[in-house]
Amino acid sequence: DTGVSQNPRHKITKRGQNVTFRCDPISEHNRLYWYRQTLGQGPEFLTYFQNEAQLEKSRLLSDRFSAERPKGSFSTLEIQRTEQGDSAMYLCASSFFGRSETQYFGPGTRLLVL
Amino acid sequence: AQTVTQSQPEMSVQEAETVTLSCTYDTSESDYYLFWYKQPPSRQMILVIRQEAYKQQNATENRFSVNFQKAAKSFSLKISDSQLGDAAMYFCAPSNFGNEKLTFGTGTRLTIIP
């Protein structure tokens, strides 16, 4: 069990560019969650998957955000036409729904939009 | 929607002493989980302890224990024999029944005084 991994760990981009983040969950986990954390705040829910199905999206997830989990394993979060307000830490977590609903977090991807 | 209040933005405790972090929440659900996570500076979110709302017995994990008062919607964390490695931001997070998404408070920054 290698834990949840996220890549890249840091990303600096210019306003208007597109960025994509990747999350690899714990291998047997069927649920995968994305959260966003801004400085001095707790994480906020963005979206989650059960296997490959995206079951819920927060109102925080504007049309510029899209997430996929194509084979029910890793997931990607893409932000198009980035804005300075997108600067945050993007956290991924996974869990095994039906056995233990405890979410285990990755180290996060810190995004800075200039 | 759930709301979470952590009324202590910062706490400090002498090494080897005991400290209690408070958390209150609001939910309309009767069955849910509650979690405490810690987030050391520039490091990832780590699970501290978990409580099932249907269990009356308070959870304990080594030096960490909770005082769960379901009717009062209170979920405090007690850390005994505080150690330097306990220094972190602590987040209280109840989960929704069904989608299990976490709602985080604003956190309590815990400082350990040597």
Side-chain angles (χ1 to χ4, degrees):
Chain A
D1 184 350
T2 57
V4 179
S5 62
Q6 292 187 246
N7 288 289
R9 295 290 306 276
H10 303 274
K11 180 72 176 178
I12 300 174
T13 191
K14 293 182 180 179
R15 190 176 53 184
Q17 297 295 304
N18 298 345
V19 294
T20 300
F21 309 141
R22 176 176 169 130
C23 171
D24 287 87
I26 294 171
S27 59
E28 68 214 28
H29 284 186
N30 51 14
R31 281 194 172 177
L32 187 148
Y33 298 79
W34 285 98
Y35 295 85
R36 181 170 67 187
Q37 185 178 23
T38 53
L39 208 59
Q41 300 296 316
E44 295 176 293
F45 169 80
L46 292 178
T47 188
Y48 88 102
F49 294 83
Q50 180 159 321
N51 299 313
E52 65 275 12
Q54 187 174 20
L55 297 187
E56 186 172 341
K57 293 191 291 186
S58 163
R59 287 172 295 176
L60 293 174
L61 216 62
S62 75
D63 292 345
R64 297 184 297 106
F65 288 71
S66 62
E68 294 183 341
R69 194 183 183 198
K71 297 182 179 180
S73 56
F74 72 92
S75 175
T76 58
L77 177 67
E78 181 184 16
I79 310 174
Q80 295 182 328
R81 304 181 304 282
T82 52
E83 302 173 356
Q84 288 184 326
D86 297 332
S87 295
M89 175 78 87
Y90 290 84
L91 298 171
C92 175
S94 69
S95 69
F96 195 111
F97 178 68
R99 180 193 298 172
S100 167
E101 280 66 46
T102 298
Q103 293 179 32
Y104 296 90
F105 283 80
T109 294
R110 185 172 295 281
L111 173 67
L112 177 60
V113 182
L114 301 177
Chain B
Q2 294 181 334
T3 59
V4 181
T5 301
Q6 294 183 250
S7 58
Q8 307 149 314
E10 295 184 358
M11 292 279 285
S12 60
V13 63
Q14 206 81 30
E15 194 176 359
E17 296 297 308
T18 296
V19 64
T20 298
L21 310 183
S22 66
C23 172
T24 58
Y25 59 93
D26 189 18
T27 181
S28 58
E29 300 183 10
S30 59
D31 196 10
Y32 49 92
Y33 300 95
L34 297 124
F35 301 87
W36 279 97
Y37 285 90
K38 67 182 275 191
Q39 189 175 39
S42 301
R43 294 182 63 185
Q44 69 191 76
M45 198 80 75
I46 301 167
L47 175 71
V48 175
I49 198 165
R50 144 190 166 141
Q51 172 81 42
E52 290 87 349
Y54 65 87
K55 288 187 177 179
Q56 292 188 340
Q57 186 173 6
N58 289 323
T60 299
E61 195 71 43
N62 299 320
R63 298 183 293 107
F64 300 88
S65 62
V66 300
N67 183 3
F68 175 47
Q69 304 288 331
K70 189 174 183 179
K73 297 179 181 175
S74 170
F75 182 58
S76 62
L77 174 70
K78 186 171 83 171
I79 306 173
S80 304
D81 185 26
S82 297
Q83 300 176 0
L84 295 177
D86 296 333
M89 186 73 91
Y90 284 80
F91 292 99
C92 169
S95 71
N96 281 26
F97 180 76
N99 60 22
E100 319 307 332
K101 69 181 181 183
L102 299 170
T103 301
F104 287 85
T106 51
T108 296
R109 183 175 302 280
L110 179 65
T111 301
I112 310 298
I113 303 167

